[in-house]
Every structure is written in structure tokens, then in C-alpha cells.
């Protein structure tokens, strides 16, 4: 298992389906930048997905908050991506991590240029199934969709195929 750093979207998504703990089951250490913590915990959103779960995870040492050192680089790149996404990428490099957990395509592209491997929420669910932490991903994907989490039809079908959960009605 590895150490990873996560952006807000996967934390919120896993909280929506009641499985934020999957991150700790799949990885030895989970970091999140201070900005990502603020985005979730200080959110003014009415939904507040992830707020309580994340606070508890940090209080119990399951997630570690990381303060990015190279604020100057984050500031220079700000505008191309959100601050939290940039702190995930810069933080991963500073911590010597190889994997970032991030959903947004543009952030994943930047992570690639920084020679980082990225995995998103759907990838986490696939990994969890592969590791035997969950038995199937379809119910979790469907629950995410009912919470208006954006998953394209193509990604949904591809994930089910990779999980071995396709049937004739999906094809």
C-alpha cells in the first residue's frame, strides 16, 4: 500500500455513499492539503457532504493535513486550477508521493506533467473491489448519481466493464 494525497471531490463523493473509510483501507497514509480541508469543513454548501466525516478522520489521525511549502508556485499557477487542486499536486511532489486522488480532468493532466499518477473516485471504487473491500461498484456508482455526482455515461459503462459487472442492458 502507499501514501496518497487527496482533493475534495473524492472525499465528498465517498462521504456521500458512507465510505470515506475506504481511503484508509486502501492506503497506509492519507494526506490532504490545508486548502482542501478548508474547502470541505468551512463550506457554505447546504449539503455539507464530508464535513463531519472529514473532521472526525483528522481528529482520529486517519487523515493528515499538509501545509504546502511552495505557496509561491501555487499562487503562480492559480487560475489554471483551483487552489485545492494545485495544493494536492504541489503537496504530492513535496511529500515525495507518487499518487494523487483527484477527479477533475484538467487537474489530472497537470498531475501527469508533474509525473504523478492520478486516481479518481471511480478508480478508487474499482481498486476497492479489486482489493476485496467491496463486492461490487454498481450500487455505489448509482448512489453517487442520485446525489448528482457527475459521472459520464461512458465512464459509468467503462467502470462496470472493468469491474466485470456488465450485462446486456448496459452494452
Amino acid at each position: 500500500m502507499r501514501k496518497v494525497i487527496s482533493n475534495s471531490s473524492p472525499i465528498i463523493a465517498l462521504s456521500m455513499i458512507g465510505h470515506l473509510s475506504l481511503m484508509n483501507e486502501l492506503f497506509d497514509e492519507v494526506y490532504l492539503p490545508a486548502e482542501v480541508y478548508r474547502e470541505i469543513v468551512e463550506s457554505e454548501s447546504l449539503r455539507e457532504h464530508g464535513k463531519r466525516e472529514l473532521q472526525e478522520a483528522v481528529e482520529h489521525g486517519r487523515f493528515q493535513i499538509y501545509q504546502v511549502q511552495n505557496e509561491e508556485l501555487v499562487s503562480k499557477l492559480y487560475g489554471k486550477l483551483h487552489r485545492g487542486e494545485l495544493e494536492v499536486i504541489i503537496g504530492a511532489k513535496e511529500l515525495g508521493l507518487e499518487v494523487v486522488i483527484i477527479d477533475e480532468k484538467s487537474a489530472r493532466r497537470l498531475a501527469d506533467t508533474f509525473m504523478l499518477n492520478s486516481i479518481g473516485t471511480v478508480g478508487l471504487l474499482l481498486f476497492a473491489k479489486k482489493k476485496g473491500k467491496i463486492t461490487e461498484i454498481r450500487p455505489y456508482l448509482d448512489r453517487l448519481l442520485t446525489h448528482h455526482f457527475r459521472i459520464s455515461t461512458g465512464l459509468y459503462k467503462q467502470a462496470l466493464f472493468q469491474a466485470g459487472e456488465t450485462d446486456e442492458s448496459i452494452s
Side-chain angles (χ1 to χ4, degrees):
M1 287 209 260
R2 304 182 211 164
K3 299 175 185 179
V4 296
I5 190 165
S6 181
N7 193 29
S8 57
S9 177
I11 292 169
I12 292 167
L14 291 176
S15 295
M16 285 176 178
I17 60 174
H19 281 286
L20 183 59
S21 62
L22 275 178
M23 282 193 189
N24 295 114
E25 293 176 39
L26 295 170
F27 305 103
D28 293 327
E29 292 179 36
V30 179
Y31 293 93
L32 61 147
E35 180 63 24
V36 169
Y37 184 78
R38 276 191 297 278
E39 284 175 9
I40 296 171
V41 173
E42 296 174 9
S43 169
E44 298 297 320
S45 169
L46 297 176
R47 290 189 191 166
E48 295 191 355
H49 289 295
K51 183 182 278 194
R52 182 182 47 77
E53 297 92 332
L54 182 58
Q55 286 174 314
E56 288 175 9
V58 169
E59 285 172 19
H60 292 97
R62 293 188 302 269
F63 283 40
Q64 297 177 45
I65 297 174
Y66 178 72
Q67 184 63 52
V68 171
Q69 302 303 303
N70 195 342
E71 287 287 337
E72 186 179 337
L73 182 55
V74 172
S75 295
K76 283 181 181 177
L77 293 172
Y78 183 71
K80 296 181 185 297
L81 297 175
H82 294 174
R83 190 164 191 84
E85 296 161 344
L86 292 167
E87 285 195 11
V88 166
I89 294 165
I90 304 302
K93 294 307 284 185
E94 290 177 355
L95 289 164
L97 306 179
E98 296 177 8
V99 178
V100 294
I101 302 174
I102 203 160
D103 282 325
E104 296 77 8
K105 279 184 185 178
S106 57
R108 290 172 77 131
R109 279 194 293 271
L110 183 62
D112 287 345
T113 66
F114 276 80
M115 308 287 283
L116 296 166
N117 298 312
S118 57
I119 185 171
T121 301
V122 174
L124 279 174
L125 292 172
L126 283 165
F127 188 49
K129 181 175 180 181
K130 180 180 176 186
K131 293 292 184 183
K133 303 297 181 187
I134 59 175
T135 56
E136 56 184 342
I137 66 166
R138 184 190 305 260
Y140 299 108
L141 295 177
D142 290 345
R143 210 169 327 153
L144 284 170
L145 290 171
T146 63
H147 283 286
H148 306 289
F149 189 81
R150 288 177 276 157
I151 301 172
S152 71
T153 303
L155 179 57
Y156 181 91
K157 289 179 179 180
Q158 179 185 9
L160 291 178
F161 178 77
Q162 288 179 346
E165 298 178 31
T166 57
D167 59 36
E168 301 309 316
S169 63
I170 298 292
S171 307

